[in-house]
């Protein structure tokens, strides 16, 4: 009986927690940090305005805020809340720290990262990804049955932060630095999609769609410089 019991397992049994436990992560996180979710949304809206009307100083501020967010999420969410129920998350904390350092380096260098001021396909997809992460991704909690108490807020939880960073990197220049910024967010989105799939949760395709949109933006032919 023991030898034949393997076929009774479901994909979600590979995880060490249930969908309810996973949902409670976000509920407890928001409760512990309140009213930080409201502040995070306000700061996210400010960043969106900066993306719509970029400039050198605003770009450096955007990159600096993203660096702080990656460091904060690594410690407050991944290490404090997620790692105790998932042993593999402890290794990802270092990747989030590296992403924060990379962003901090680019934010402190003159000409470290540039954001376009004219509309094109890259900019449209990039701003669309950021706007989704800010305004729509928190509402996905309603579709999963968590309610807004379990909403995933940009700057406080990994998924919207990764999607927002993909949006910024999708339209940023120079290209080599932008590609480097996409690696860790894309890896996290892949892991998140797998986790949601194993939990049989709705929306597992959303992180994959974010990766696809960011890749499409980066691979889209660069607009020709005006003569």
């Amino acid at each position: 009986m023991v030898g034949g019991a393997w076929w009774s397992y479901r994909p979600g049994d590979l995880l060490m927690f249930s969908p309810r436990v996973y949902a409670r992560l976000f509920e407890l996180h928001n409760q512990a940090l309140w009213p930080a979710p409201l502040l995070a949304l306000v700061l996210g809206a400010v960043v969106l305005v900066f993306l719509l009307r970029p400039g050198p100083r605003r770009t450096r501020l955007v990159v600096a805020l993203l660096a702080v967010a990656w460091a904060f999420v690594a410690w407050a969410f991944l290490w404090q809340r997620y790692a105790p129920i998932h042993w593999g998350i402890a290794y990802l904390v270092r990747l989030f720290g590296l992403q924060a350092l990379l962003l901090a380096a680019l934010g402190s260098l003159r000409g470290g990262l540039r954001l376009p001021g004219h509309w094109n396909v890259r900019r449209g997809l990039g701003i669309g990804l950021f706007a989704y992460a800010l305004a729509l991704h928190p509402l996905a909690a309603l579709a999963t049955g968590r309610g807004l108490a379990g909403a995933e807020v940009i700057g406080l939880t990994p998924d919207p932060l990764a999607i927002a960073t993909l949006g910024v990197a999708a339209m940023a220049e120079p290209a080599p630095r932008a590609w480097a910024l996409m690696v860790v967010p894309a890896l996290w989105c892949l892991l998140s999609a797998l986790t949601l799939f194993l939990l049989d949760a709705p929306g597992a395709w959303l992180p994959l769609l974010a990766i696809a949109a960011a890749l499409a933006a980066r691979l889209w032919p660069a607009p020709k410089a005006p003569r």
Side-chain angles (χ1 to χ4, degrees), residues 160-173:
L161 177 59
I163 294 172
T165 305
L166 284 176
V168 173
M171 58 179 168
E173 296 294 342

PDB file of all heavy atoms in Angstrom, residues 160-173:
ATOM      1  N   PRO A 160       4.253  42.004  -6.708  1.00  0.00           N
ATOM      2  CA  PRO A 160       4.105  43.305  -7.356  1.00  0.00           C
ATOM      3  C   PRO A 160       5.422  44.057  -7.485  1.00  0.00           C
ATOM      4  O   PRO A 160       5.623  44.810  -8.443  1.00  0.00           O
ATOM      5  CB  PRO A 160       3.115  44.048  -6.449  1.00  0.00           C
ATOM      6  CG  PRO A 160       3.184  43.340  -5.149  1.00  0.00           C
ATOM      7  CD  PRO A 160       3.495  41.913  -5.456  1.00  0.00           C
ATOM      8  N   LEU A 161       6.336  43.855  -6.537  1.00  0.00           N
ATOM      9  CA  LEU A 161       7.645  44.504  -6.633  1.00  0.00           C
ATOM     10  C   LEU A 161       8.418  43.980  -7.830  1.00  0.00           C
ATOM     11  O   LEU A 161       9.037  44.757  -8.579  1.00  0.00           O
ATOM     12  CB  LEU A 161       8.434  44.282  -5.345  1.00  0.00           C
ATOM     13  CG  LEU A 161       9.853  44.857  -5.331  1.00  0.00           C
ATOM     14  CD1 LEU A 161       9.834  46.364  -5.563  1.00  0.00           C
ATOM     15  CD2 LEU A 161      10.555  44.518  -4.024  1.00  0.00           C
ATOM     16  N   ALA A 162       8.402  42.666  -8.025  1.00  0.00           N
ATOM     17  CA  ALA A 162       9.112  42.074  -9.164  1.00  0.00           C
ATOM     18  C   ALA A 162       8.498  42.548 -10.482  1.00  0.00           C
ATOM     19  O   ALA A 162       9.226  42.886 -11.429  1.00  0.00           O
ATOM     20  CB  ALA A 162       9.068  40.555  -9.068  1.00  0.00           C
ATOM     21  N   ILE A 163       7.167  42.589 -10.559  1.00  0.00           N
ATOM     22  CA  ILE A 163       6.500  43.014 -11.791  1.00  0.00           C
ATOM     23  C   ILE A 163       6.790  44.487 -12.070  1.00  0.00           C
ATOM     24  O   ILE A 163       7.037  44.886 -13.217  1.00  0.00           O
ATOM     25  CB  ILE A 163       4.996  42.745 -11.696  1.00  0.00           C
ATOM     26  CG1 ILE A 163       4.730  41.233 -11.638  1.00  0.00           C
ATOM     27  CG2 ILE A 163       4.249  43.365 -12.872  1.00  0.00           C
ATOM     28  CD1 ILE A 163       3.283  40.867 -11.357  1.00  0.00           C
ATOM     29  N   ALA A 164       6.756  45.317 -11.031  1.00  0.00           N
ATOM     30  CA  ALA A 164       7.052  46.736 -11.199  1.00  0.00           C
ATOM     31  C   ALA A 164       8.485  46.948 -11.675  1.00  0.00           C
ATOM     32  O   ALA A 164       8.754  47.798 -12.539  1.00  0.00           O
ATOM     33  CB  ALA A 164       6.814  47.476  -9.889  1.00  0.00           C
ATOM     34  N   THR A 165       9.411  46.184 -11.117  1.00  0.00           N
ATOM     35  CA  THR A 165      10.808  46.312 -11.519  1.00  0.00           C
ATOM     36  C   THR A 165      11.001  45.850 -12.956  1.00  0.00           C
ATOM     37  O   THR A 165      11.782  46.443 -13.710  1.00  0.00           O
ATOM     38  CB  THR A 165      11.712  45.506 -10.569  1.00  0.00           C
ATOM     39  OG1 THR A 165      11.479  45.923  -9.217  1.00  0.00           O
ATOM     40  CG2 THR A 165      13.187  45.719 -10.901  1.00  0.00           C
ATOM     41  N   LEU A 166      10.297  44.798 -13.345  1.00  0.00           N
ATOM     42  CA  LEU A 166      10.331  44.376 -14.747  1.00  0.00           C
ATOM     43  C   LEU A 166       9.836  45.501 -15.652  1.00  0.00           C
ATOM     44  O   LEU A 166      10.369  45.717 -16.745  1.00  0.00           O
ATOM     45  CB  LEU A 166       9.473  43.125 -14.949  1.00  0.00           C
ATOM     46  CG  LEU A 166      10.044  41.798 -14.462  1.00  0.00           C
ATOM     47  CD1 LEU A 166       9.020  40.684 -14.642  1.00  0.00           C
ATOM     48  CD2 LEU A 166      11.335  41.449 -15.201  1.00  0.00           C
ATOM     49  N   GLY A 167       8.819  46.226 -15.191  1.00  0.00           N
ATOM     50  CA  GLY A 167       8.302  47.330 -15.989  1.00  0.00           C
ATOM     51  C   GLY A 167       9.330  48.434 -16.180  1.00  0.00           C
ATOM     52  O   GLY A 167       9.494  48.956 -17.288  1.00  0.00           O
ATOM     53  N   VAL A 168      10.024  48.780 -15.103  1.00  0.00           N
ATOM     54  CA  VAL A 168      11.060  49.813 -15.206  1.00  0.00           C
ATOM     55  C   VAL A 168      12.203  49.346 -16.097  1.00  0.00           C
ATOM     56  O   VAL A 168      12.679  50.080 -16.976  1.00  0.00           O
ATOM     57  CB  VAL A 168      11.579  50.192 -13.808  1.00  0.00           C
ATOM     58  CG1 VAL A 168      12.777  51.136 -13.906  1.00  0.00           C
ATOM     59  CG2 VAL A 168      10.463  50.839 -12.982  1.00  0.00           C
ATOM     60  N   ALA A 169      12.647  48.109 -15.890  1.00  0.00           N
ATOM     61  CA  ALA A 169      13.757  47.576 -16.688  1.00  0.00           C
ATOM     62  C   ALA A 169      13.371  47.402 -18.146  1.00  0.00           C
ATOM     63  O   ALA A 169      14.229  47.491 -19.033  1.00  0.00           O
ATOM     64  CB  ALA A 169      14.230  46.253 -16.098  1.00  0.00           C
ATOM     65  N   ALA A 170      12.100  47.152 -18.404  1.00  0.00           N
ATOM     66  CA  ALA A 170      11.653  46.921 -19.778  1.00  0.00           C
ATOM     67  C   ALA A 170      11.877  48.131 -20.663  1.00  0.00           C
ATOM     68  O   ALA A 170      12.112  47.997 -21.874  1.00  0.00           O
ATOM     69  CB  ALA A 170      10.172  46.542 -19.782  1.00  0.00           C
ATOM     70  N   MET A 171      11.820  49.337 -20.081  1.00  0.00           N
ATOM     71  CA  MET A 171      11.936  50.547 -20.907  1.00  0.00           C
ATOM     72  C   MET A 171      13.224  51.317 -20.658  1.00  0.00           C
ATOM     73  O   MET A 171      13.469  52.330 -21.315  1.00  0.00           O
ATOM     74  CB  MET A 171      10.733  51.460 -20.636  1.00  0.00           C
ATOM     75  CG  MET A 171      10.566  51.872 -19.189  1.00  0.00           C
ATOM     76  SD  MET A 171       9.123  52.969 -18.984  1.00  0.00           S
ATOM     77  CE  MET A 171       8.980  52.968 -17.194  1.00  0.00           C
ATOM     78  N   ALA A 172      14.043  50.858 -19.720  1.00  0.00           N
ATOM     79  CA  ALA A 172      15.232  51.608 -19.333  1.00  0.00           C
ATOM     80  C   ALA A 172      16.378  51.408 -20.327  1.00  0.00           C
ATOM     81  O   ALA A 172      16.420  50.443 -21.082  1.00  0.00           O
ATOM     82  CB  ALA A 172      15.677  51.209 -17.937  1.00  0.00           C
ATOM     83  N   GLU A 173      17.310  52.326 -20.293  1.00  0.00           N
ATOM     84  CA  GLU A 173      18.547  52.257 -21.051  1.00  0.00           C
ATOM     85  C   GLU A 173      19.696  52.622 -20.119  1.00  0.00           C
ATOM     86  O   GLU A 173      19.487  53.320 -19.130  1.00  0.00           O
ATOM     87  CB  GLU A 173      18.506  53.224 -22.260  1.00  0.00           C
ATOM     88  CG  GLU A 173      17.450  52.887 -23.304  1.00  0.00           C
ATOM     89  CD  GLU A 173      17.715  51.580 -24.021  1.00  0.00           C
ATOM     90  OE1 GLU A 173      18.878  51.099 -23.972  1.00  0.00           O
ATOM     91  OE2 GLU A 173      16.775  51.038 -24.625  1.00  0.00           O
TER      92      GLU A 173
END
